[in-house]
Amino acid sequence: MTPTDTGPARARSRGPRRRPGRVPAALLVPAALGLVFLVLPLAGLLARTPWTTLPQRLAEPGVLTALRLSLLTATLATLFCLLLGVPLAWLLARVEFPGRRVVRALVTVPLVLPPVVGGVALLLVFGRRGLLGGWLDATFGVTLPFTTAGVVLAEAFVAMPFLVIAVEGALRGADQRYEEAAATLGAGRWTTFTHVTLPLVAPGLAAGAVLCWARALGEFGATITFAGNYPGRTQTMPLAVYLALETDLEAAVVLSLILLTVSVVILAALRDRWITSP
């Protein structure tokens, strides 16, 4: 091959280039309407925000209490999900067993289940007359409904699938040759898991944990059904927004703005994981 043939051959190896064409109006118009539909409510929220009194409203005791409780419960729920969800994701990704598809389907049920139904289900299991709640109350004196622990449980129930799905996907995409090499060098299963597997899937684990935390922070239906709406004990930010709508619209807007800000920060932090295209 002569030097003059290198350019055309290289161009042919890359395949035909895509030429930008005109966007069909039949697609452009509904796409623009869809964007407006999604952005307009957020713009309305920003437009109705009382910017002049925002610092004073953010410093109100009720707002700070709800914010602290939301951050605490969302963090505890995420830790709970990490403790149980990572082993579950590893089981689904690495172990072949009968009924694995059924188990995976059951894990993802909270994603499509109405949160209120999830709260009712939790109440029927962990309530004082529930399947396990009666035993916990009689044996250990532990009551979960309408407590801060109940908030953590409700948030973990709806948020754990986000963590499991993210970690399972990372495990399936990880190169298992590193784990096999560690095993041949004499590393035990636990050592291999903690020193090889977890570092391999660390980005996916971090993304799943952040999504889990964000979902727990915004949980409403299961929380109000299972844990109630008691200020300082179970009233998280979404519940405070719901309550403020009845008495003080500007307070509801301020609380909603906080949750919107957290959501934007989460999306910005994860943009390299699942927003940008390869």
Side-chain angles (χ1 to χ4, degrees):
M1 180 180 294
T2 62
T4 58
D5 296 333
T6 304
R10 188 176 301 171
R12 287 194 300 270
S13 65
R14 288 196 299 261
R17 294 183 179 180
R18 296 180 179 178
R19 296 180 178 179
R22 298 179 59 183
V23 181
L27 297 179
L28 182 60
V29 173
L33 291 176
L35 180 61
V36 171
F37 174 73
L38 294 175
V39 173
L40 191 59
L42 304 180
L45 179 65
L46 295 176
R48 292 296 301 272
T49 301
W51 298 105
T52 56
T53 60
L54 184 62
Q56 294 83 358
R57 287 189 172 274
L58 290 176
E60 291 180 359
V63 174
L64 295 178
T65 299
L67 179 59
R68 282 194 296 265
L69 183 63
S70 295
L71 295 176
L72 174 63
T73 55
T75 302
L76 292 177
T78 303
L79 294 176
F80 181 80
C81 292
L82 286 171
L83 180 64
L84 302 182
V86 173
L88 180 57
W90 180 87
L91 183 70
L92 293 173
R94 296 295 173 82
V95 180
E96 293 283 349
F97 59 92
R100 185 172 66 168
R101 292 184 178 180
V102 177
V103 173
R104 183 179 290 111
L106 292 175
V107 169
T108 57
V109 163
L111 290 176
V112 296
L113 189 71
V116 174
V117 177
V120 172
L122 289 172
L123 197 60
L124 294 177
V125 174
F126 295 104
R128 289 186 176 182
R129 297 183 180 180
L131 298 178
L132 295 178
W135 175 76
L136 290 174
D137 189 16
T139 306
F140 303 102
V142 175
T143 302
L144 293 175
F146 310 108
T147 63
T148 304
V151 176
V152 174
L153 198 64
E155 292 177 347
F157 176 76
V158 299
M160 187 180 294
F162 290 87
L163 175 70
V164 174
I165 291 174
V167 176
E168 183 189 358
L171 285 169
R172 290 183 177 276
D175 192 347
Q176 298 187 36
R177 290 178 296 179
Y178 295 101
E179 298 173 326
E180 295 171 355
T184 58
L185 293 175
R189 292 183 177 180
W190 179 250
T191 302
T192 302
F193 178 75
T194 55
H195 290 74
V196 179
T197 305
L198 287 182
L200 281 175
V201 301
L205 178 61
V210 172
L211 286 174
C212 177
W213 185 85
R215 179 64 185 88
L217 186 70
E219 166 51 30
F220 173 80
T223 302
I224 196 172
T225 306
F226 182 64
N229 188 10
Y230 298 98
R233 188 171 64 180
T234 65
Q235 188 182 91
T236 57
M237 291 288 289
L239 273 64
V241 172
Y242 175 76
L243 184 64
L245 277 174
E246 300 179 356
T247 57
D248 190 350
L249 179 60
E250 289 190 351
V253 171
V254 170
L255 293 170
S256 301
L257 181 64
I258 297 174
L259 293 175
L260 175 62
T261 303
V262 172
S263 301
V264 171
V265 171
I266 294 299
L267 292 177
L270 295 179
R271 66 187 184 277
D272 294 331
R273 289 291 305 168
W274 58 281
I275 295 181
T276 56
S277 59

